[in-house]
Amino acid sequence: MRTSRARTTSNWIFLCTVFWALLQARPALAVDTALVSIIPQTQTFVFLGPGLGGNLGGIGGCGLRFGTHYYDTQAIIVTADGDYTFWASSANLLPNPSPNPDTFLALYQASFDPLVPATQLLGCNDDSYVSGRGALPEFVLTNLTAGQTYVLMNTTFIDISLVDQIYGTVNLVVSGPGAVTVVNNDTD
């Protein structure tokens, strides 16, 4: 009887240990946070270089047309450590609306300086044709830290000299293991 009780207790402890290990190993559920970015006609930064355009910060997929761009920023904090996906779900860019708006999204460590737009750049994207979002951006950043301030910068691929899809509203989504809190809009 004593052996049977000890075996039952031992089996119970083993099953609890296995269950706890499986619980810890399961992937975290993604939390989607919706944000709205309004690109005003008041804030600008200049992206300079030879030719028509290039990759901001030398990061592939971060193409921008050279020239002056309107932009919007939002300081954010993630609530859990981990990998986060940033994307634009839709956009209404003016003065010439298009069914395929061409937006640009970047994430910065702590702050965005419009005088040196590649400084503190963590990641960015111009087009996400691979994921089927067309000219709307999408990128993944790994190892973001909970409680750390990051700055989302949203603009358009086209500079203001072309007067085509250069300001307006962009709906953004951030997906990751935690929620995203907007600390301050228009951080500059």
Side-chain angles (χ1 to χ4, degrees), residues 65 92 112 147:
R65 186 175 171 86
N92 182 24
F112 168 69

Side-chain angles (χ1 to χ4, degrees), residues 23-87:
L23 189 61
Q24 296 302 310
R26 71 175 171 39
L29 298 174
V31 176
D32 288 350
T33 303
L35 305 171
V36 176
S37 176
I38 299 173
I39 303 171
Q41 291 179 281
T42 55
Q43 303 177 126
T44 61
F45 75 93
V46 178
F47 182 48
L48 298 176
L52 292 176
N55 286 323
L56 183 62
I59 298 174
C62 291
L64 268 178
R65 186 175 171 86
F66 292 129
T68 302
H69 294 261
Y70 295 128
Y71 71 93
D72 178 50
T73 57
Q74 295 181 26
I76 62 168
I77 294 176
V78 296
T79 61
D81 294 349
D83 301 349
Y84 286 79
T85 302
F86 298 81
W87 77 87

